[in-house]
């Protein structure tokens, strides 16, 4: 049997027919982690935040370097990830059955306290991203990596029993007959069967719009603007949330190219919240420390696990 190579994993990421179910993500991630364990690329610890590491591939991949990986969330052991993924799938089945009351079950308390939901989602997506980082040009994979994160979140929401699809909508501009604006919406979800064909021109009142991006860098303003405009154009409240993977990037620090920079603009975020509109939820798989310690940010931002176990159900119920 021929051993799987990084080139094989690159081909998987390129494959537009793959990743139609969560099991496909597991296979890619588990294979990547196994490959890392076997080939042992150079592991570099960030001098600025020691919980972040990088892998540097060998010369056959141009000594390219992965994105920063938060070891507080990233499973570096393929076996550990496999066990955690199996627990994750079992929990999603319980979540589908009990919905938001799952957090009251004594049998689930230790699991929820462990934060393992965020760890599994983070490890999957950062494995996808790290494979993308091995391409000759980042532009070859950047868009695809983002698409796969969007698809991952959609599959998780569907797994717990909600309707969830991407949507392109065409919204009329009030006062200008015949003029419209088009929006490509990453996710539209609801607890009922309101979602119809993807080419529908409107957003049903029972639906919630979700923007899903790997980072808020250069994107956060558009999420606020989309909620504001959709609400204005449709003449009613449109619920809009944002889900981000993280907000960090590699940066030069002195003589080292392995520093960590935050890409989250807290003042812009709060400014848009106050002056433009308030989002109905903002969630990070890997929140920045200030999102937890800053009282104002903590009121607006939660982690992905909280979304999945609480706000997903509250939002879809309120929307109805």
């Amino acid at each position: 049997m021929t051993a799987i190579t990084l080139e094989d994993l690159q081909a998987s990421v390129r494959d537009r027919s793959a990743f139609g179910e969560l099991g496909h993500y597991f296979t890619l991630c588990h294979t990547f982690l196994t490959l890392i364990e076997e080939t042992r690329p150079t592991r570099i610890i960030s001098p600025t935040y020691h919980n972040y590491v990088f892998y540097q591939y060998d010369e056959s991949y141009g000594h390219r370097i992965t994105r920063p990986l938060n070891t507080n969330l990233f499973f570096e052991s393929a076996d550990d990830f496999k066990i955690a993924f199996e627990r994750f799938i079992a929990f999603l089945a319980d979540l589908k059955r009990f919905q938001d009351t799952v957090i009251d079950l004594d049998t689930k308390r230790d699991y929820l306290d462990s934060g393992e939901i965020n760890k599994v989602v983070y490890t999957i997506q950062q494995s996808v991203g790290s494979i993308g980082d091995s391409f000759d040009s980042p532009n070859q994979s950047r868009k695809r990596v983002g698409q796969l994160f969007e698809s991952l979140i959609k599959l998780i929401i569907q797994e717990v029993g909600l309707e969830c699809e991407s949507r392109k909508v065409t919204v009329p501009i009030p006062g200008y007959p015949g003029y419209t604006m088009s929006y490509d919406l990453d996710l539209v979800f609801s607890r009922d069967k309101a979602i119809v064909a993807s080419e529908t021109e409107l957003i049903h009142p029972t639906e919630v719009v979700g923007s899903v991006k790997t980072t808020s860098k250069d994107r956060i303003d558009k999420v606020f603007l989309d909620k504001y405009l959709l609400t204005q154009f449709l003449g009613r409240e449109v619920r809009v949330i944002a889900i981000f993977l993280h907000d960090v990037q590699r940066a030069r620090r002195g003589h080292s190219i392995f520093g960590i920079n935050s890409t989250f603009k807290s003042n812009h975020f709060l400014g848009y919240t106050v002056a433009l509109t308030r989002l109905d939820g903002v969630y990070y798989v890997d929140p920045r420390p200030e999102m937890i310690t800053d009282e104002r940010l903590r009121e607006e931002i939660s982690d992905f696990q909280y979304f999945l176990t609480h706000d997903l159900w509250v939002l879809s119920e309120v929307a109805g």
Side-chain angles (χ1 to χ4, degrees), residues 43-87:
R43 184 179 184 273
I44 303 160
I45 300 173
S46 172
T48 52
Y49 291 91
H50 295 172
N51 58 308
Y52 282 90
V53 301
F54 306 83
Y55 289 114
Q56 185 170 27
Y57 299 117
D58 62 26
E59 61 182 343
S60 59
Y61 293 94
H63 298 291
R64 284 182 279 278
I65 301 164
T66 68
R67 59 204 55 208
L69 306 170
N70 185 348
T71 56
N72 293 337
L73 294 171
F74 189 78
F75 288 105
E76 295 187 86
S77 161
D79 288 343
D80 289 348
F81 170 70
K82 181 176 185 296
I83 294 169
F85 183 82
E86 290 169 351
R87 279 195 293 258

Side-chain angles (χ1 to χ4, degrees), residues 78-286:
D79 288 343
D80 289 348
F81 170 70
K82 181 176 185 296
I83 294 169
F85 183 82
E86 290 169 351
R87 279 195 293 258
F88 176 63
I89 292 299
F91 178 78
L92 293 183
D94 289 333
L95 188 58
K96 181 177 182 178
R97 179 184 176 189
F98 295 105
Q99 302 184 3
D100 56 335
T101 64
V102 75
I103 62 176
D104 299 322
L105 299 177
D106 291 338
T107 55
K108 300 303 173 187
R109 188 164 299 157
D110 288 345
Y111 180 75
L112 293 170
D113 288 345
S114 74
E116 200 169 86
I117 291 173
N118 291 331
K119 294 176 183 179
V120 170
V121 174
Y122 183 86
T123 302
I124 290 173
Q125 184 57 32
Q126 290 295 63
S127 294
V128 171
S130 295
I131 295 166
D133 294 332
S134 70
F135 282 76
D136 291 337
S137 168
N139 293 329
Q140 288 181 285
S141 62
R142 185 177 292 119
K143 183 176 181 180
R144 181 61 176 155
V145 168
Q147 289 172 338
L148 288 175
F149 183 51
E150 177 185 319
S151 175
L152 174 62
I153 300 303
K154 179 178 73 173
L155 288 170
I156 291 171
I157 295 175
Q158 291 174 341
E159 189 74 12
V160 299
L162 274 71
E163 300 289 316
C164 184
E165 296 292 345
S166 58
R167 174 80 59 80
K168 182 172 184 177
V169 297
T170 302
V171 182
I173 300 177
Y176 290 84
Y179 289 85
T180 61
M181 287 184 67
S182 295
Y183 289 89
D184 289 309
L185 306 176
D186 295 339
L187 299 180
V188 182
F189 64 86
S190 70
R191 260 205 260 190
D192 55 28
K193 302 295 182 182
I195 292 182
V196 290
S198 61
E199 61 270 14
T200 184
E201 294 184 353
L202 294 175
I203 302 166
H204 195 278
T206 65
E207 295 177 326
V208 182
V209 174
S211 177
V212 181
K213 308 296 180 189
T214 55
T215 173
S216 76
K217 181 184 178 184
D218 304 324
R219 295 179 176 90
I220 192 67
D221 53 348
K222 186 178 184 304
V223 184
F224 281 97
L225 188 59
D226 282 353
K227 175 176 170 61
Y228 177 80
L229 290 178
L230 287 170
T231 296
Q232 293 296 312
F233 290 167
L234 295 181
R236 59 175 173 80
E237 182 71 12
V238 177
R239 292 179 175 83
V240 176
I241 67 163
I243 299 173
F244 299 110
L245 179 68
H246 63 172
D247 254 325
V248 296
Q249 65 182 12
R250 182 160 56 95
R252 181 176 292 278
R253 284 287 184 273
H255 297 295
S256 173
I257 62 171
F258 298 104
I260 298 294
N261 252 7
S262 173
T263 56
F264 179 69
K265 300 176 180 177
S266 58
N267 291 345
H268 284 73
F269 178 88
L270 292 172
Y272 292 133
T273 300
V274 171
L276 195 59
T277 188
R278 190 177 206 167
L279 297 178
D280 296 277
V282 181
Y283 311 94
Y284 277 80
V285 182
D286 179 17

